[in-house]
Amino acid sequence: MSRRIQITFDAHDPKALSTFWRDALGYVHPAPPGVDLPEGADPLAAWDDFLARIGVPEDQRNSRSAIEDPDGRGPRVFFQQVPEGKTAKNRVHLDVRAAPGLLGEERMAALEAECTRLEALGAKRVHRQNPTPPLEAGHIVMTDPEGNEFCLD
């Protein structure tokens, strides 16, 4: 029997980092418990209202955040605030499948386009690995706004 997983990021700014990954992955911020959001409503504003209503002090309202796959297939991603900074290379990182089924220059052009989109959201490009068949199809190494490494694959 397979297990469902949640991916957890330590973060200085959970709301900002979850917003980056929401936009990078095409995920959504879920509504607070028991809240039905009208079409087009901002779930982060709803969370701010919810947390104020239940008495969470303002300085603790950005201590966690989460995003979910709107299709319910991918894992939930949770962001928790931690005081310490990132000090070393990730031991685990995400591979974002930005060019499924593509090869060669077509693949690399798709990866470059996604790289440009993510840089506009705050990511940084680290390295491009060109294709070296038969084992390497090519990828781009990037970091998110808090320095977590990931690959466009």
Side-chain angles (χ1 to χ4, degrees), residues 5-60:
I5 64 166
Q6 171 175 279
I7 297 167
T8 300
F9 280 80
D10 289 347
H12 281 291
D13 186 344
K15 185 185 287 187
L17 195 58
S18 70
T19 298
F20 168 81
W21 281 106
R22 176 200 67 198
D23 295 344
L25 300 175
Y27 272 39
V28 297
H29 284 104
V35 174
D36 289 321
L37 290 179
E39 184 73 29
D42 179 3
L44 292 177
W47 272 102
D48 287 339
D49 293 345
F50 175 80
L51 294 172
R53 203 169 48 251
I54 65 170
V56 174
E58 191 169 345
D59 67 340
Q60 295 176 24

Side-chain angles (χ1 to χ4, degrees), residues 52-97:
R53 203 169 48 251
I54 65 170
V56 174
E58 191 169 345
D59 67 340
Q60 295 176 24
R61 293 182 195 159
N62 189 25
S63 63
R64 55 189 56 92
S65 187
I67 57 173
E68 298 174 346
D69 178 351
D71 299 325
R73 293 185 314 229
R76 181 176 190 263
V77 184
F78 180 72
F79 303 84
Q80 62 186 3
Q81 191 172 52
V82 296
E84 67 276 359
K86 183 178 176 307
T87 59
K89 183 179 187 284
N90 306 14
R91 295 295 301 267
V92 173
H93 72 260
L94 303 182
D95 288 337
V96 178
R97 304 290 184 185

